[in-house]
């Protein structure tokens, strides 16, 4: 559970995986697994919880395994039933195509593990809190989601009076969005600047 950003090599692996997924999106079968991963990434970013990525990859694998199973069943059906009747009249293209689909599904299962999940899993804390393609941490925020007392800048204070700002901070404290200590720090800074 590393809190360090992904290296450029790890970010490149993820980009290669995304580029490898693009051709499958043109087929209906490839849109659904891509949506699983996109939704998992969105939810992880929204909730700062890496388990959304793990769930998305699990759903991706289940869907691809299902596609693999269907392709394998079709190949077996063709080889045993259809192929037995017309073995000498057909060239076996359907059988080869179904085996190719099964092979592609296996490759995508390996790719999602090696190029997507592995780089992210070694940086779960960083990815959950800061994102995949960033090397700078987010600003530390206070309990109520407000940036560290930096929101009280001289330029922004010109349009508001100190009293107005104190009323806003008191309301935040009263509603439970900030702690007593955070309110006192903000009040101290406001009174020093006022």
């Amino acid at each position: 559970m590393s809190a360090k950003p992904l290296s450029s090599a790890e970010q490149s692996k993820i980009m290669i995986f995304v580029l490898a997924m693009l051709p499958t999106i043109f087929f209906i079968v490839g849109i659904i697994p891509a949506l699983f991963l996109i939704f998992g990434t969105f939810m992880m970013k929204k909730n700062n919880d890496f388990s959304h990525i793990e769930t998305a990859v699990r759903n991706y694998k289940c869907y691809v395994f299902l596609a693999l199973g269907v392709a394998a069943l079709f190949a077996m059906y063709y080889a045993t039933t259809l192929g037995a009747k017309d073995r000498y009249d057909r060239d076996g293209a359907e059988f080869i195509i179904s085996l190719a689909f099964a092979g592609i599904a296996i490759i995508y299962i390996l790719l999602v593990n090696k190029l997507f999940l592995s780089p992210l899993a070694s940086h779960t804390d960083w990815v959950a809190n800061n994102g995949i393609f960033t090397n700078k941490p987010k600003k530390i925020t206070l309990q109520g989601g407000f940036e560290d007392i930096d929101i009280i800048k001289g330029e922004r204070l010109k349009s508001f009076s100190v009293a107005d700002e104190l009323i806003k901070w008191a309301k935040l404290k009263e509603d439970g969005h900030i702690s007593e200590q955070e309110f006192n720090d903000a009040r101290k800074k406001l009174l020093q600047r006022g």
Side-chain angles (χ1 to χ4, degrees), residues 40-143:
T41 304
F42 170 76
M43 290 304 293
M44 178 203 59
K45 186 171 181 162
K46 181 178 179 188
N47 298 323
N48 293 343
D49 183 5
F50 189 77
S51 67
H52 292 290
I53 290 287
E54 293 167 335
T55 302
V57 169
R58 192 174 325 115
N59 291 340
Y60 173 96
K61 287 179 187 178
C62 288
Y63 186 82
V64 173
F65 271 128
L66 179 68
L68 171 68
V70 168
L73 286 175
F74 182 75
M76 285 178 18
Y77 178 73
Y78 178 77
T80 57
T81 307
L82 295 176
K85 293 180 200 171
D86 299 333
R87 187 163 303 203
Y88 299 106
D89 296 338
R90 294 180 167 211
D91 58 359
E94 293 88 357
F95 179 70
I96 292 171
I97 290 171
S98 62
L99 285 180
F101 277 120
I104 290 169
I106 290 170
I107 289 170
Y108 275 103
I109 289 171
L110 295 173
L111 287 178
V112 76
N113 281 331
K114 185 73 174 161
L115 298 179
F116 186 75
L117 186 59
S118 291
L120 295 179
S122 60
H123 300 277
T124 55
D125 294 337
W126 179 269
V127 171
N129 294 318
N130 300 300
I132 297 171
F133 295 105
T134 182
N135 289 329
K136 295 180 182 175
K138 286 184 182 175
K139 290 185 178 181
I140 298 172
T141 57
L142 297 175
Q143 219 175 326

Side-chain angles (χ1 to χ4, degrees), residues 149 152-153 157 160-167 169 182-194:
I149 310 294
I152 307 171
K153 297 253 186 225
L157 239 171
F160 301 102
S161 73
V162 172
D164 289 337
E165 286 297 309
L166 281 172
I167 291 170
W169 281 91
E182 292 165 339
F183 172 75
N184 290 336
D185 291 344
R187 184 180 57 152
K188 183 178 174 184
K189 282 194 176 201
L190 279 167
L191 294 175
Q192 285 175 353
R193 291 181 190 235

